[in-house]
Amino acid sequence: MEQAYPPKNLSATLSAIANPQLFNPLSFTMTSAQLLRSGAFALGVTGLLLLGMTQLIATDYRAPPDELPPKVLGIHMPKITPTVQKSDPVLKPQDVPPPLPRVEINHKVEPQDLPTVISPPVVGNERSGPIPITADPLPIYKPAPQYPRRALARGIEGYVVVEFTITSNGSVKNPRVVGGYDSAGAPTDVFNNAALNAVERFKYRPPMSEGQAVEQHGVRNRISFKLAE
């Protein structure tokens, strides 16, 4: 059984009607219905377009109102007062004092006899010579003591008080230890020998008494032993 399909266009439909062998009444009926629907749809679209154009024509278009420019406040200018500089009036010059009276000088000098007195030198009991000098001893050379190995290994610091005599030629004799202590103040003899060896090499300017070098006994010196940081 053959099945009819609607033709795709109007020319195909007319060809089918002209050809009796290919013409199918059912197919023609369906084609007419489609044409009617298409025509009705076209009329509807045309009517809507005409209605829209009519509304556009009937609309009263107005230009947007012009915006007013922003209001600018007036500029207030302060009142300017000119500055006037006043100068003191010029004082009248004072009167020049009168010149001093002229004094005449007499350039003529009359020679006079001046008395000349020559007195003989006075011989007294005064003696001139060196002024006696008294001075304390002044250190000239004080070598640093050698740090004991035992104290260095144990990290001990301290000091020793040594008493000695300064001779008339500035050397040191009879040194002795008064006391030896560590950094905590506890007595120790670990630094005694090193302190004595250093003091024996000290050199001083000898003490002076009335211009003469003398010995000075009981001189004390503190020898410190401190590890380098």
Side-chain angles (χ1 to χ4, degrees):
M1 179 178 180
E2 295 182 358
Q3 193 172 9
Y5 294 93
K8 295 181 179 180
N9 49 33
L10 183 60
S11 59
T13 305
L14 294 177
S15 300
I17 295 173
N19 190 355
Q21 295 179 358
L22 298 177
F23 177 72
N24 190 346
L26 181 60
S27 174
F28 178 76
T29 302
M30 294 177 64
T31 303
S32 299
Q34 290 179 354
L35 290 174
L36 291 176
R37 285 197 299 269
S38 300
F41 179 75
L43 289 176
V45 172
T46 304
L48 291 176
L49 291 175
L50 292 175
L51 180 61
M53 293 178 64
T54 303
Q55 293 295 329
L56 292 174
I57 294 171
T59 302
D60 186 11
Y61 287 101
R62 296 180 181 179
D66 297 334
E67 295 183 358
L68 296 177
K71 187 176 181 181
V72 179
L73 298 178
I75 301 175
H76 176 69
M77 297 294 292
K79 186 177 180 181
I80 301 175
T81 304
T83 303
V84 179
Q85 296 182 355
K86 296 182 179 181
S87 59
D88 297 333
V90 180
L91 299 178
K92 183 179 180 181
Q94 298 180 357
D95 296 335
V96 180
L100 297 176
R102 183 176 181 181
V103 179
E104 295 182 359
I105 301 175
N106 187 7
H107 296 281
K108 295 181 180 181
V109 179
E110 296 180 359
Q112 296 180 359
D113 294 333
L114 298 176
T116 303
V117 179
I118 300 175
S119 58
V122 178
V123 179
N125 296 327
E126 297 179 357
R127 294 181 302 174
S128 61
I131 300 175
I133 299 175
T134 301
D136 294 331
L138 180 66
I140 298 175
Y141 175 67
K142 297 179 70 174
Q146 186 176 1
Y147 214 98
R149 294 183 179 179
R150 185 159 56 100
L152 185 63
R154 297 169 58 185
I156 301 176
E157 296 181 347
Y159 63 94
V160 179
V161 178
V162 181
E163 186 178 86
F164 51 88
T165 299
I166 300 176
T167 64
S168 58
N169 60 4
S171 61
V172 174
K173 70 177 183 179
N174 302 328
R176 69 180 186 89
V177 175
V178 177
Y181 306 90
D182 59 8
S183 58
T188 180
D189 59 353
V190 69
F191 303 110
N192 291 357
N193 293 332
L196 291 174
N197 293 333
V199 169
E200 288 177 351
R201 293 180 293 163
F202 285 1
K203 296 295 182 182
Y204 288 85
R205 187 188 69 182
M208 305 293 291
S209 178
E210 297 183 359
Q212 298 293 327
V214 297
E215 291 186 352
Q216 184 169 348
H217 305 279
V219 180
R220 291 192 176 186
N221 203 320
R222 176 173 172 169
I223 312 298
S224 299
F225 295 84
K226 188 174 182 180
L227 297 173
E229 295 182 357

